[in-house]
Amino acid sequence: MEFRLEQKRNVVTEIPGPKSKELAERRAKYVSNSVGSGLSAFIESADGAILRDVDGNQFVDFGAGIGVTSVGNAHPKVVKAVQDAAAKGTHFQVNVAGYESYIDLAEKLTQLTPGDFDKKAALFNSGAEALENAVKIARKYTGRDAVVVFDHAFHGRTNLTMAMTAKNMPYKDGFGPFAPEVYRFPASYPYRDGLTGEEAAARTALAIEKQIGAKNVAAIVIEPLQGEGGFIVPAEGFLPALVKFAHDNGIVFVADEVQAGMCRTGKWFCSEWDGIEPDLVTSAKGIAGGMPLSAVIGRAEIMDAPHAGGIGGTYSGNPVANAAALATIAAYEEEGHAQKALDIEAKVKGALEPLVGTVPTVGEVRGRGAMLAIEFVKAGGKEPNAEIVGQVVAEAQKQGVMLLTCGTYGNVIRLLPPLIITDELLDDSLEVIIEAIKKFS
Ligand code: PLZ
């Protein structure tokens, strides 16, 4: 693959450099302080797995815009599709008149999501909007109100999705009151709860029955691999048991694949690893190579439950974003990105797993495909260690490796590189990461 920017980290100034410092001053004056940034440098350009800042520093991008540019930043096929589509019309608006790219994308998505049953799709802009609409659709279909969500969940920042999101700071504090009829239960966190998948699911099912009554539940909404909450892979059998419980009780099972979907875990959708067929899937982030687009895809009879005009939005299914999504999906197919995610997993786990048991602050290395994480603990136990996470991220940043954190306790470093990251860049970055971990452990 040809890249516009050399796929190499290169730090040429202190971070932030002089131009970034100037921008920081302007930001402090004009941008609301509520919009925070992890990296103190300001980005000028990005390509593949490299972020280049305004001072010419190059960082290896282990965030991919929080799992968005999985196909690679500014992928040439996506750029061309966006340019061509924009030249034909920057917006049509689906409630005004239909257009083919909306249908093409809906058709494609119904083919990619798990389950051999009739499916339909509806398009939106953000992940949160997809979640909101999945809940609306499930409520209309079931005629029920209650929504079940889980500890460590992240579903968005709108009022309903704040209610569905678990973590108070920074997502909810002072922003209530939150939407009613949202109930939270423990899920499965093998490193911390020690339960088998069946045990964890039985605990959840009993709690739902006792606290809400299964017959009152419209939807169970869960990330098949919890993202912001700590990249938590549920114990084997947990998700299938939860799907069975949902179906035994007429509940719509919604897999929030906003972060874990679209080849990120080495399959089109993470649900496939657990062999489950969700009734509804929410997708966003990696779906359109960086353009804002999200979708709800699922069983035709459920998707058709709301009345005509009940679901929509001004920008939903914008034709430029649709073209980007179709090009992104074509690139995933043609360039074998799912396999690339598995190659990344093998390399990263091969390098990092030996730290478990030898470096006392490394509690667990986990994840699927290119959705990988290291959970840090205080030496000798499992008490979350957020301090070292800050130190490792800062040290890696100085060396030109941009890392993101996550976890309810802030003690997890996540690796979410674009799937096209080169072997050399990955090897080189892993050395930096390991050295930083050892330095502060
Ligand atoms: N569902 C599983 O991961 C977004 C949020 C970052 P939007 N995750 C990144 C932040 O600080 O806001 C996410 C997700 C899952 C839903 C969402 C929400 O997607 O596109 O941000 O609305």
Side-chain angles (χ1 to χ4, degrees):
M1 201 162 169
E2 298 268 307
F3 293 102
R4 176 170 40 84
L5 295 178
E6 195 185 4
Q7 298 295 292
K8 263 198 168 156
R9 65 189 169 95
N10 188 18
V11 178
V12 294
T13 70
E14 57 172 358
I15 308 294
K19 286 187 181 162
S20 279
K21 280 187 183 147
E22 274 174 36
L23 288 178
E25 275 175 33
R26 287 184 56 214
R27 174 167 70 181
K29 189 153 185 233
Y30 296 114
V31 180
S32 162
N33 287 344
S34 60
V35 184
S37 301
L39 192 64
S40 55
F42 286 75
I43 304 305
E44 184 184 65
S45 178
D47 185 26
I50 290 292
L51 298 173
R52 188 177 164 94
D53 79 4
V54 288
D55 293 289
N57 299 297
Q58 294 208 157
F59 299 89
V60 187
D61 180 8
F62 275 91
I66 320 193
V68 171
T69 55
S70 302
V71 73
N73 212 314
H75 189 293
K77 288 177 188 161
V78 178
V79 171
K80 171 103 185 23
V82 166
Q83 288 168 336
D84 290 352
K88 285 193 191 160
T90 44
H91 192 45
F92 303 143
Q93 215 299 323
V94 72
N95 302 120
V96 174
Y99 40 95
E100 196 166 356
S101 67
Y102 196 113
I103 303 165
D104 289 343
L105 183 55
E107 181 181 15
K108 190 75 203 171
L109 292 170
T110 61
Q111 291 161 357
L112 296 178
T113 45
D116 188 18
F117 39 79
D118 284 347
K119 290 179 222 149
K120 291 192 175 186
L123 305 178
F124 306 99
N125 307 290
S126 66
E129 213 186 333
L131 267 301
E132 290 255 355
N133 280 288
V135 170
K136 280 165 74 172
I137 293 166
R139 282 180 169 158
K140 188 83 186 190
Y141 177 73
T142 57
R144 304 172 180 179
D145 294 334
V147 176
V148 166
V149 293
F150 294 91
D151 289 344
H152 311 292
F154 185 93
H155 298 294
R157 293 175 181 267
T158 59
N159 187 264
L160 174 59
T161 57
M162 270 195 294
M164 295 166 69
T165 290
K167 196 171 171 177
N168 179 49
M169 277 301 274
Y171 306 122
K172 300 166 75 163
D173 196 69
F175 297 145
F178 303 110
E181 287 304 313
V182 175
Y183 300 85
R184 186 176 315 287
F185 298 97
S188 167
Y189 194 158
Y191 178 64
R192 293 198 173 272
D193 65 25
L195 300 178
T196 66
E198 286 73 19
E199 289 164 349
R203 175 179 66 173
T204 303
L206 182 65
I208 293 173
E209 190 52 57
K210 293 295 161 207
Q211 295 180 38
I212 321 174
K215 67 174 178 27
N216 297 315
V217 178
I220 294 177
V221 184
I222 191 163
E223 300 153 81
L225 195 166
Q226 289 186 307
E228 303 299 312
F231 278 31
I232 306 161
V233 183
E236 202 187 328
F238 174 73
L239 290 173
L242 206 57
V243 171
K244 183 171 183 312
F245 172 77
H247 289 169
D248 287 349
N249 291 285
I251 300 167
V252 175
F253 185 92
V254 183
D256 180 355
E257 295 257 12
V258 164
Q259 192 159 165
M262 285 288 147
C263 295
R264 175 50 62 185
T265 68
K267 295 200 184 276
W268 280 108
F269 291 94
C270 184
S271 296
E272 294 168 57
W273 286 112
D274 295 279
I276 58 166
E277 295 178 350
D279 299 311
L280 300 179
V281 168
T282 55
S283 181
K285 293 190 187 278
I287 196 172
M291 292 298 108
L293 190 132
S294 66
V296 180
I297 313 112
R299 287 184 190 272
E301 70 271 21
I302 301 178
M303 292 298 295
D304 280 341
H307 43 280
I311 296 291
T314 302
Y315 300 106
S316 306
N318 167 276
V320 181
N322 291 347
L326 288 163
T328 299
I329 291 168
Y332 287 146
E333 279 172 339
E334 288 156 17
E335 296 162 16
H337 285 71
Q339 182 55 47
K340 287 182 186 181
L342 298 179
D343 297 344
I344 291 170
E345 176 176 357
K347 205 179 250 303
V348 171
K349 284 193 172 165
L352 296 182
E353 272 174 352
L355 302 183
V356 181
T358 54
V359 177
T361 54
V362 176
E364 190 176 49
V365 172
R366 61 173 176 254
R368 294 190 193 279
M371 189 166 179
L372 299 160
I374 314 161
E375 173 155 2
F376 289 88
V377 291
K378 302 260 167 77
K382 285 192 176 179
E383 197 190 328
N385 187 344
E387 196 190 345
I388 188 170
V389 163
Q391 292 167 324
V392 171
V393 168
E395 176 68 20
Q397 213 174 83
K398 271 194 224 153
Q399 311 285 328
V401 175
M402 204 286 301
L403 299 174
L404 295 181
T405 62
C406 64
T408 300
Y409 317 111
N411 65 325
V412 179
I413 289 179
R414 56 174 147 178
L415 306 178
L416 268 181
L419 305 177
I420 46 71
I421 190 169
T422 62
D423 283 350
E424 301 74 51
L425 204 53
L426 189 54
D427 285 334
D428 170 63
S429 305
L430 285 169
E431 270 177 42
V432 170
I433 294 166
I434 291 168
E435 219 168 280
I437 292 173
K438 288 187 172 158
K439 181 169 170 184
F440 296 104
S441 288

